[in-house]
Amino acid sequence: MRTSIATVCLSGGLVEKLHACAEAGFDGVEVMDADLVAAYESPEEVRALADRLGLTLEMYQPFRDVEGVDEATFADTLRRAEATFALMQRLGTDLVLVCSNAGTATVDDDAVAADQLGRLADLAATYGVRVAYEALAWGRFVHDYRHAWRLVQAADRPNLGTCLDSFHILSRGHDPAAIRQIPAERIYFLQLADAPALQMDLLSWSRHHRLFPGEGSFDLVGFLGHVLAAGYDGPLSLEVFNDTFRQTDVVRTAAHARRSLAWLADRAGSDRLTAPPPPSAVDFVEVAGDDLTEVEDVLEALGFTFRGRHRSKRVRLWSAGDAHVVLDEQTRTPEPRLAGLGVRVADPAAAGARAAALGAPGLSRRTYAGEQPLHGVAAPDGTRVWFGAAHPTWPAEFEGGAEPGPDALAGVVDHVNLAQPWQDFDEAVLFYTSVLGLASGASTDVPGPAGLVRSQVMRTADGVLRIPLNMAPPTAPVPAQHVAVACDDVVGAARRARERGLRFLRVPANYYDHLAARFDLDAAFLDELRELDLLYDREVHPDGTTGEFLHFYTPTVGGVFLELVERRGGYDGYGAPNAAVRLAAQRAAG
């Protein structure tokens, strides 16, 4: 698989972009005209730098407003084109992207359009240039790739082909199956971009909201399958216009982009990696901090059992049935934070190797004789993800702990809520999609005191691993992260925790008045919810049955808090209607 990326995807100047692309492992780049125009380096110097870096200058783009114009306008088009082709010779690239006319087109006549494309190609041929014609989704008369291909056929020039762009095709809902009918040698180039499902005008959607493969809603795996079936063997190239990516670190974004192509090629079968071993359970969550005494107080009050200190590391283990919390005072951090999670997989070594092949930074953990090895990688925000065996032995490495008592809490980790800085959010979606094989649901916006919080759930199909990702507005602080533990009797667990002195996050009385209006709840049950600061939600399943969700939150300690949940009747959500109440209550609590 050859890979390429358009320079428009990245921040910085052209020289910085070329260095970052080479470091990320790309084979080539598409040079955007705006990047070259703003560079102090001559085309010859850019060409020489690309050669030194081992990069191919795959294409120069874009050349706009060609076909469907009057003859006077077309004469000026040929003047612009000749200057462009001469520049391309200096740059050392022989392929130019020509977009369907969205600005100056006034003649809706395929014969005129084909004739003008042919004459442009004739001029290009005198400079040794090939022309890749692309249907823009917002083209004035040509906005369907099948129409563009018909015009290429009608023009019938040996140096005129088509460029296929996933955004322009999929954003309009066009069926990509007809790509299979285009001869491979006439598909000159392939541009790839994902995007979220949005209802907005195509130009704004394209210019601000494209994503790297694996981060949006497009079926890029199916799209690429059609292109490969046609026999295309050119580079897989990214063309992603995104406001965030144009502001973030160029080296990191290039590596992120390259990872997205590795994921896509793997899923499409053009460059198969080891199949992702699906996580079978959450093995543990890891909380780090210089002083974790308050966290231990919360765990003890909830009914967790202290299982001991590690025999060779400054970490302690607290457990509630199969929910394990590892407290790490080796990692220096001024306040407690959720530092990592462990997942159980069938083959930890294979999972680690696959993550490395996708460009995820590896982590090491010193182990001694008799200790279970862990293979780890770092998520974009630094969260540590550890791959452990399906039948772990590591709990035996902790010594001096107690056995669970009769009132001990027993549960499992239901979900791990990870807050993301705004600039890391899309990269995090790709990381958990590619490295852990999780599926992403639709994103939702939760109103909070500091603005809308964007939430997107990453999960396995069976729900054994659920990771909601939350992103606050850029001007707001990153929200606290939390671990949700599921149990069979959250009301009983709440009463016992209260008896041990734990005070939950205080819920406003107005919430319960609103709850009474939303649902026809038994008065005694509603009083019980109010007394214990419990929150409630209900969902109706397609078969008419209902599921219920009861939950409460602990106070926030540093940057982390816990949630205890109970799912009844197959409830599969996360209490989304209660999220705004929780955010406001946490802000009020300070």
Side-chain angles (χ1 to χ4, degrees):
M1 176 188 73
R2 287 169 52 214
T3 59
S4 171
I5 183 172
T7 57
V8 72
C9 301
L10 305 170
S11 65
L14 183 55
V15 169
E16 294 173 87
K17 297 182 184 194
L18 293 178
H19 278 280
C21 293
E23 184 175 335
F26 281 97
D27 301 302
V29 296
E30 305 173 40
V31 178
M32 190 78 171
D33 58 0
D35 286 316
L36 183 62
V37 168
Y40 285 101
E41 294 74 21
S42 68
E44 291 81 3
E45 289 171 322
V46 172
R47 176 181 186 173
L49 174 60
D51 287 342
R52 290 197 302 274
L53 294 173
L55 292 171
T56 302
L57 301 182
E58 301 284 355
M59 184 167 69
Y60 185 68
Q61 66 121 326
F63 191 78
R64 303 182 186 278
D65 301 335
V66 172
E67 82 291 359
V69 297
D70 59 64
E71 278 303 306
T73 302
F74 187 67
D76 187 62
T77 298
L78 292 179
R79 179 194 60 77
R80 291 189 294 115
E82 188 159 19
T84 298
F85 300 153
L87 181 149
M88 290 174 59
Q89 282 190 328
R90 297 173 61 196
L91 192 61
T93 184
D94 71 344
L95 183 64
V96 65
L97 176 69
V98 171
C99 303
S100 63
N101 198 333
T104 63
T106 56
V107 182
D108 185 10
D109 186 319
D110 280 6
V112 170
D115 174 69
Q116 291 175 343
L117 285 173
R119 289 154 65 191
L120 178 76
D122 290 341
L123 176 61
T126 65
Y127 288 86
V129 168
R130 296 176 300 136
V131 176
Y133 180 56
E134 168 188 73
L136 289 179
W138 53 89
R140 176 77 186 279
F141 300 126
V142 180
H143 45 71
D144 186 323
Y145 76 98
R146 292 162 293 196
H147 189 181
W149 168 235
R150 290 196 299 271
L151 293 179
V152 169
Q153 288 179 293
D156 192 23
R157 299 300 198 279
N159 65 323
L160 177 64
T162 191
C163 173
L164 300 174
D165 184 306
S166 63
F167 182 87
H168 295 306
I169 294 171
L170 299 179
S171 66
R172 292 193 69 100
H174 293 152
D175 184 355
I179 291 172
R180 293 170 178 257
Q181 308 306 316
I182 303 175
E185 66 274 11
R186 305 304 294 279
I187 303 175
Y188 281 180
F189 209 70
L190 173 67
Q191 294 177 319
L192 296 163
D194 211 334
L198 299 174
Q199 297 296 321
M200 63 189 308
D201 71 276
L202 290 169
L203 184 57
S204 297
W205 190 13
S206 172
R207 286 288 177 261
H208 303 287
H209 300 286
R210 294 197 197 193
L211 297 170
F212 292 126
E215 298 173 347
S217 302
F218 287 167
D219 179 15
L220 288 187
V221 175
F223 176 85
L224 181 56
H226 291 303
V227 177
L228 297 178
Y232 176 76
D233 62 358
L236 309 187
S237 192
L238 297 168
E239 188 191 44
V240 174
F241 298 87
N242 182 289
D243 295 344
T244 298
F245 301 155
R246 294 297 300 271
Q247 300 176 61
T248 50
D249 178 75
V250 62
V251 173
R252 178 169 169 176
T253 304
H256 167 195
R258 182 62 182 79
R259 185 181 305 127
S260 76
L261 281 184
W263 170 83
L264 179 59
D266 171 46
R267 292 291 303 275
S270 64
D271 197 2
R272 180 64 66 185
L273 301 172
T274 304
S280 60
V282 177
D283 205 4
F284 60 87
V285 293
E286 180 182 14
V287 177
D290 292 346
D291 182 358
L292 298 174
T293 304
E294 286 189 66
V295 177
E296 289 192 296
D297 290 343
V298 170
L299 292 172
E300 185 174 23
L302 282 174
F304 277 72
T305 303
F306 175 63
R307 302 310 301 271
R309 294 174 175 81
H310 196 274
R311 61 192 180 209
S312 66
K313 301 173 179 64
R314 290 180 54 222
V315 298
R316 300 185 295 280
L317 173 63
W318 289 77
S319 297
D322 289 326
H324 303 296
V325 178
V326 173
L327 301 183
D328 172 16
E329 289 184 344
Q330 297 182 136
T331 302
R332 305 297 298 176
T333 178
E335 63 176 18
R337 65 179 179 87
L338 188 57
L341 70 152
V343 295
R344 298 178 188 175
V345 295
D347 189 339
R354 185 177 189 279
L358 289 164
L363 298 172
S364 61
R365 173 183 181 265
R366 180 178 296 174
T367 56
Y368 298 90
E371 295 180 358
Q372 178 182 318
L374 291 176
H375 302 265
V377 293
D381 67 343
T383 299
R384 300 185 289 234
V385 178
W386 301 99
F387 300 106
H391 303 287
T393 60
W394 62 265
E397 299 169 18
F398 290 81
E399 301 170 341
E403 292 298 319
D407 288 335
L409 179 67
V412 297
V413 173
D414 184 86
H415 58 276
V416 181
N417 196 308
L418 299 177
Q420 302 294 310
W422 66 272
Q423 68 271 23
D424 293 348
F425 189 86
D426 294 318
E427 187 178 0
V429 171
L430 175 62
F431 174 86
Y432 291 107
T433 298
S434 59
V435 171
L436 291 181
L438 305 184
S440 61
S443 65
T444 58
D445 290 331
V446 177
L452 291 179
V453 175
R454 178 182 172 192
S455 182
Q456 188 159 350
V457 176
M458 314 295 298
R459 56 172 289 170
T460 55
D462 58 8
V464 299
L465 176 58
R466 305 168 185 247
I467 304 178
L469 301 175
N470 286 347
M471 179 188 71
T475 55
V478 177
Q481 314 207 78
H482 80 270
V483 179
V485 175
C487 66
D488 293 334
D489 178 14
V490 78
V491 174
R495 289 199 179 280
R496 289 188 291 274
R498 278 282 178 87
E499 292 168 1
R500 299 185 189 106
L502 183 64
R503 289 294 174 260
F504 312 148
L505 186 68
R506 184 166 170 263
V507 179
N510 292 336
Y511 168 79
Y512 296 101
D513 294 338
H514 179 65
L515 203 61
R518 286 180 62 207
F519 304 115
D520 183 19
L521 297 176
D522 177 79
F525 178 58
L526 187 62
D527 288 342
E528 190 171 44
L529 297 178
R530 183 183 290 108
E531 174 197 356
L532 295 172
D533 284 306
L534 295 179
L535 297 105
Y536 176 90
D537 191 32
R538 180 189 296 169
E539 65 184 12
V540 180
H541 304 312
D543 63 1
T545 61
T546 59
E548 296 177 298
F549 190 62
L550 282 75
H551 58 133
F552 69 87
Y553 300 98
T554 72
T556 301
V557 181
V560 66
F561 61 96
L562 280 86
E563 177 186 8
L564 218 59
V565 311
E566 179 185 349
R567 297 178 181 273
R568 298 176 177 176
Y571 182 97
D572 198 43
Y574 303 87
N578 301 328
V581 176
R582 189 255 298 172
L583 290 169
Q586 286 176 323
R587 176 162 176 160

